[in-house]
Amino acid sequence: KPSLEARPSGLSVTRIETLQRDPYAIYCQYVLGLTKLDALDMPVDARPRGTAIHAALEKFEEEGIEKSADNLIAILEAELRAAGEAEEVILGAVASRRRTAEDYLAWRKARLPLIAGIPYTEVKGTLDVPLGAARFRLSATADRIEKHQDGALAILDFKSGAPPGEGEVRTGLNPQMPLQAIIAMEGGFADKGIAAAPVRELTYVRFGTKFDVRHIGDKAGSAHPEKPLEEIIEETREGFLKLIGRFANPDHPYVSMPRPKWAKYGSDYARLARRDEWAAEDGDD
């Protein structure tokens, strides 16, 4: 059982999600110092592909860059090649990539009148949260933050595939975007020139084989009626504080996937946790 001092004194917003879904993975990474190695000759998967898309969209926003579909596609394809994407895969997606680029540019053009100045891309921020006699540092990298004409902020997250479901966000299983909002509202991005301000929009932008936009809090089917974004953010804040408060207790265990249905892709540490010896296939109590 680790001491309180051995436990992580801070986590990124993505690792807060892991702490919710698989606390044992956090224990292995941050207390035991164990990390999974990538397989040799691993093909390009969603991670480097997503990184390439993020890099392309960031470069596209630079001053002096022609804002055309042809130029966006050229930048994107160059980033995909640099990431190791096979040429036949790049060429096979030409038609869908053009549709996505054109849809993105139309959406971007419609947003420009809302924005004051230029958007901030790949913005790093932190927030120190009191935790008893210590402090817990929450960190994040926002894909894009826009300051709007009314002074409020919009935070955008770009996904190459489908974004998290509305239910995951509202129940705290995927708290990344609301936690980024909390950092922004508390001035955690101020070092980058973004002063503390209300966050009025949290938006997922899908940019991959198709283009789509979804705002957190909007009506997303009959199971998820429209809900004020401010309420979602405050509920996430309460859940986050309770979560880190529990793990500040040195007697609180780091359990391996306490609810298997919450685990996204299984666990890199399932064998170390010896799950097969004690976990039933239909779930655990």
Side-chain angles (χ1 to χ4, degrees):
K1 182 174 65 178
S3 67
L4 177 60
E5 290 75 19
R7 298 185 171 213
S9 60
L11 291 171
S12 68
V13 294
T14 56
R15 290 294 180 258
I16 294 296
E17 179 182 351
T18 305
L19 189 62
Q20 284 269 44
R21 296 177 184 268
D22 187 13
Y24 188 68
I26 296 296
Y27 172 76
C28 290
Q29 292 174 35
Y30 292 89
V31 178
L32 300 183
L34 301 176
T35 56
K36 180 185 176 183
L37 298 177
D38 290 334
L40 296 175
D41 300 323
M42 183 179 69
V44 175
D45 62 6
R47 291 170 296 173
R49 188 174 297 123
T51 300
I53 292 173
H54 281 75
L57 293 174
E58 183 179 2
K59 289 183 177 180
F60 187 72
E61 292 297 336
E62 293 177 359
E63 293 186 22
I65 298 296
E66 179 188 353
K67 304 301 187 283
S68 67
D70 287 340
N71 199 39
L72 176 56
I73 292 168
I75 295 172
L76 177 57
E77 291 181 347
E79 291 295 332
L80 289 170
R81 290 187 178 96
E85 186 80 279
E87 192 65 25
E88 60 268 22
V89 175
I90 294 175
L91 294 177
V94 168
S96 62
R97 188 171 297 118
R98 175 161 292 278
R99 286 195 301 271
T100 297
E102 290 174 349
D103 289 345
Y104 171 76
L105 287 176
W107 169 81
R108 179 183 178 277
K109 182 178 180 180
R111 285 185 69 84
L112 286 178
L114 301 174
I115 304 171
I118 61 173
Y120 300 83
T121 58
E122 295 298 312
V123 193
K124 297 183 183 300
T126 60
L127 178 65
D128 288 334
V129 181
L131 192 60
R135 299 185 77 81
F136 183 91
R137 172 159 288 189
L138 179 66
S139 60
T141 300
D143 289 347
R144 182 177 302 187
I145 298 179
E146 300 171 350
K147 182 177 181 180
H148 286 187
Q149 299 289 348
D150 62 359
L153 301 176
I155 301 178
L156 294 83
D157 190 22
F158 289 85
K159 300 291 186 185
S160 56
E166 184 76 9
E168 289 184 285
V169 177
R170 296 192 187 191
T171 58
L173 286 176
N174 196 300
Q176 297 178 30
M177 288 284 275
L179 288 176
Q180 288 182 6
I182 292 167
I183 293 174
M185 292 162 60
E186 299 291 340
F189 295 104
D191 288 348
K192 306 302 179 183
I194 306 172
V199 174
R200 300 280 167 71
E201 180 185 327
L202 294 177
T203 299
Y204 287 113
V205 180
R206 183 174 183 179
F207 188 107
T209 55
K210 62 183 292 187
F211 179 79
D212 191 25
V213 176
R214 181 167 66 78
H215 304 290
I216 292 176
D218 281 0
K219 185 175 181 180
S222 58
H224 302 292
E226 187 174 349
K227 188 173 186 178
L229 180 60
E230 295 82 359
E231 188 175 333
I232 295 174
I233 293 172
E234 287 309 309
E235 288 175 354
T236 300
R237 187 197 298 270
E238 292 175 9
F240 162 70
L241 292 175
K242 289 179 181 178
L243 181 69
I244 62 173
R246 287 198 299 269
F247 283 93
N249 178 358
D251 292 323
H252 191 80
Y254 286 81
V255 180
S256 173
M257 291 186 288
R259 297 293 184 271
K261 66 181 180 180
W262 291 356
K264 280 188 170 181
Y265 316 111
S267 172
D268 294 334
Y269 303 98
R271 290 186 64 188
L272 186 62
R274 301 168 70 174
R275 283 190 62 86
D276 290 344
E277 297 181 22
W278 54 266
E281 291 184 359
D282 58 351
D284 317 314
D285 292 327

